[in-house]
Amino acid sequence: THFGRYLYPIYREGADFMRYVVFSLLKKDFRLMLASKFFLLTLGSLILYSCYINLVYVRLDQEIYPVYLYDPMGVQSTAPSAAIRSESAEQMHQACSDGYSVGIDASGRVPRIYMVSSGIRRTDNSRAAYAVSLLFPDSETKTVVIGTNTKEMKNRREITCEFLFFELSAVGFLGLASTLFKEKQMGVIRVHSTLPVSQTYIVLSKLVLFLAADLIFAALLTLVNLGVSQGLSVLPAVMIQAGILSVVMALTGFFCAVCLQGFRQFSLLYLILAVFVTTPVFLAGQTGISWKWIRYHPMYHLFMALKNAYFGMKPAGNIYYAICAAAVLSLFMLVCRTLKHEMAKEG
């Protein structure tokens, strides 16, 4: 108990003492979160993300692949009006140099598809298939329904998943660590080293508060941008994956903050995480770029599990959850041990 400038011990027994310790730690960490403007920044992120999704992103309607037709002899009489006619082959080649448009060269006996590769095989196949469908509109094709989402709802689910993943991975990594650095500056770690409090309670206190904040953020972001009915249908699965990602990143940030001496070093590590760790995950998960090594990237599996949860797809298997549980337990034990060593140094 704090009276003026002095600390006086309070003697309590058994479960009463433990409840008092846990409540005091939670109260102290909650006040630190308030002092660091954590909740204000989280609310600002929620408003910013939601405004961008509803006012900007859903209105970006990119047209289907433009198709340019070079037919100097006029033999392709069945070509629809959707195809843009080119006066020369050079004009068609120049128009298709953007890696998005598709050209049909009908100057020979057999029409040929011309396009510059986008670097994604799946997208190139879709571009070629679309051009062929315009060239032969009467051909029978087998259509398979793979989903019931409209284009707008599909875009909403994708961008909401991306924003939530970034918030929990990058910002979540920074949030808990920033409070720990503040405690170092205030000398709270040194005070903890003199109290009969286990490091487990210190770590759990911070972890519970940040996990609760992340889950509330995930729920609000999902409901606001997907709608109440669509959001509630996927919310249980999203909350599970968001909880796993939140705990993993919070413990990782806690460990790095304990090991590093200054916030400047931690900022460099945060930059590496935000740019070089999460960027490949976004590219592989959203654009279809195929890298063989990405399957060994832990963050990629966390991102795909979150994305599958948003689209109501089959959840990850037992192996995935077993690996996540082992990773969380290992990180928790590592953090407690590292904090104990740091408190011994401070004491």
Side-chain angles (χ1 to χ4, degrees), residues 29-41 175 178-179 182 210:
D29 290 331
F30 183 76
R31 288 181 174 178
L32 279 175
M33 295 173 70
L34 289 176
S36 61
K37 305 296 190 296
F38 176 82
F39 296 110
L40 184 61
L41 293 175
S178 62
T179 60
K182 190 176 184 64
F210 278 91

Side-chain angles (χ1 to χ4, degrees), residues 8-160:
Y8 294 90
I10 290 182
Y11 298 97
R12 297 176 180 239
E13 296 182 357
D16 185 34
F17 175 75
M18 297 310 301
R19 284 194 297 268
Y20 174 78
V21 168
V22 172
F23 178 77
S24 299
L25 289 174
L26 289 172
K27 186 177 180 181
K28 182 262 300 180
D29 290 331
F30 183 76
R31 288 181 174 178
L32 279 175
M33 295 173 70
L34 289 176
S36 61
K37 305 296 190 296
F38 176 82
F39 296 110
L40 184 61
L41 293 175
T42 302
L43 179 61
S45 298
L46 177 64
I47 296 174
L48 180 63
Y49 294 155
S50 300
C51 289
Y52 175 79
I53 292 174
N54 291 278
L55 301 179
V56 179
Y57 188 79
V58 295
R59 300 184 181 182
L60 298 177
D61 188 13
Q62 190 175 23
E63 297 181 356
I64 193 65
Y65 314 112
V67 177
Y68 293 87
L69 173 65
Y70 174 57
D71 185 16
M73 306 301 295
V75 297
Q76 297 297 325
S77 59
T78 60
S81 58
I84 304 172
R85 295 186 177 271
S86 300
E87 300 295 333
S88 63
E90 290 76 13
Q91 183 182 5
M92 182 191 67
H93 293 167
Q94 183 178 3
C96 298
S97 61
D98 57 356
Y100 186 75
S101 304
V102 188
I104 301 176
D105 188 355
S107 59
R109 181 176 301 179
V110 179
R112 296 181 300 174
I113 301 296
Y114 175 84
M115 62 182 182
V116 177
S117 176
S118 63
I120 305 174
R121 180 178 299 180
R122 185 172 58 184
T123 302
D124 292 342
N125 292 338
S126 299
R127 294 164 61 197
Y130 177 68
V132 171
S133 68
L134 294 182
L135 192 61
F136 304 102
D138 298 330
S139 61
E140 296 184 359
T141 57
K142 183 179 180 180
T143 303
V144 179
V145 178
I146 60 174
T148 58
N149 292 312
T150 62
K151 184 178 180 181
E152 179 182 343
M153 180 54 62
K154 175 180 177 293
N155 292 337
R156 284 180 177 274
R157 292 177 189 267
E158 286 183 346
I159 193 63
T160 304

Side-chain angles (χ1 to χ4, degrees), residues 21-22 42 55 57 69 80 99 103 275-276 291 294 298-299 333 335:
V21 168
V22 172
T42 302
L55 301 179
Y57 188 79
L69 173 65
V275 176
F276 298 102
W291 291 318
I294 199 67
M299 298 294 292
M333 295 175 62
V335 166

